[in-house]
Amino acid sequence: MKPYAEVIGDPIAHSKSPAIHGFWLDALGIDAEYRAMRVSPDGLAAYFDSCRADPEWRGCNITIPHKQAALDLVEDRGGVRQSIGAVNTVIRAEDGALIGTNTDAGGFYSPIAGLDLEGRHAVVIGAGGAARAILFALSKVGIGRVTILNRNVLKAAALLSSFGMKGDAMPLGSPLPAADLLVNASVLGMDGQPSLDLDLSPLPEDAVVYDVVYAPLETRLLAQARARELDIVDGLEMLIGQAALAFELFFGVEPPRDRDEELRALLVK
Ligand code: NAP
């Protein structure tokens, strides 16, 4: 049997991870597999037991609904529970232990690594799992202030205080401040979800607008930002970024990011 990694979740058929990792394995000529595996919540502990016993298993990505539950079943050597509070990648350490980590914060940050965000003002829409990873990343680069707009304002306030950040928690529909970075980290604007209605006019001309939603790829928010000629970052950039960090952990080699355009074309087919 070949070495392999996989993505687990329930449901799992929609996942783009097999296409991303499969593209990189082919591009690099690595004789390994990456597959999707449906694992129910009841089967999660048994799944990790089977991974421990399988020498070909290189690791897994974890998606809904297992990102928190996995924290109790694998070792947390990097303090993920206290920081992001969820695991999206599990690998095997040299001593054989299964270690949980999270590549969403790094994946979010990689497309905007060239921005100087120190002391700047960011607006984040949403206060769920993606927003938590994003706030962690923003806290690490010394963001000055974060305004969170969320349906549940108390949840947004708790998220801000858990990172000891300066900022405000406001209800959805509040006017935007003149922020340097606007990130949609909610489900709003995603296929099948309500739309995100924002007036972008308070944003300065050099603001960056980032939507983590990738289905559709061109959300209404990004179309509005494009119409204002603001710099934009779409959700596939974060998706590919978090996968790249996981790929290196699984297979010990960086994926060929110079082929992102080809990969993106494959993912939007
Ligand atoms: P989550 O933990 O379930 O959080 C969902 C967020 O959306 C919460 O802020 C929630 O508000 C808000 N929301 C849900 N339904 C709403 C509604 N009807 N009206 C207003 N607000 C609503 O989900 P998540 O894991 O953070 O994912 C959020 C989005 O990020 C999804 O679209 C997901 O696909 C995307 N994502 C993308 C990447 C990537 O790599 N590009 C990675 C992770 C996630 P309340 O707090 O008030 O409930």
Side-chain angles (χ1 to χ4, degrees), residues 95-164:
D95 63 5
L98 300 194
I99 313 276
T101 185
N102 194 309
T103 64
D104 278 337
F108 162 76
Y109 183 62
S110 59
I112 55 168
L115 298 180
D116 179 9
L117 291 172
E118 201 175 339
R120 299 303 191 100
H121 187 174
V123 175
V124 176
I125 316 287
R132 191 167 180 88
I134 288 164
L135 256 69
F136 175 71
L138 294 176
S139 73
K140 290 288 166 197
V141 298
I143 197 88
R145 182 173 193 82
V146 177
T147 300
I148 304 183
L149 269 55
N150 196 47
R151 179 175 60 177
N152 181 337
V153 182
L154 291 179
K155 198 167 140 192
L159 186 56
L160 268 182
S161 80
S162 72
F163 287 105

Side-chain angles (χ1 to χ4, degrees), residues 126-130 150-152 155 172 185-187 190 212 214 235 238-239:
N150 196 47
R151 179 175 60 177
N152 181 337
K155 198 167 140 192
L172 279 174
S186 75
V187 301
M190 195 176 162
V212 306
Y214 54 82
M238 175 172 170
L239 189 72

Side-chain angles (χ1 to χ4, degrees), residues 23 85 144 213 252:
F23 175 84
V213 168

Side-chain angles (χ1 to χ4, degrees), residues 28-42:
L28 294 171
I30 297 175
D31 192 19
E33 284 180 342
Y34 185 101
R35 58 201 194 193
M37 169 95 154
R38 184 168 164 258
V39 174
S40 69
D42 287 351

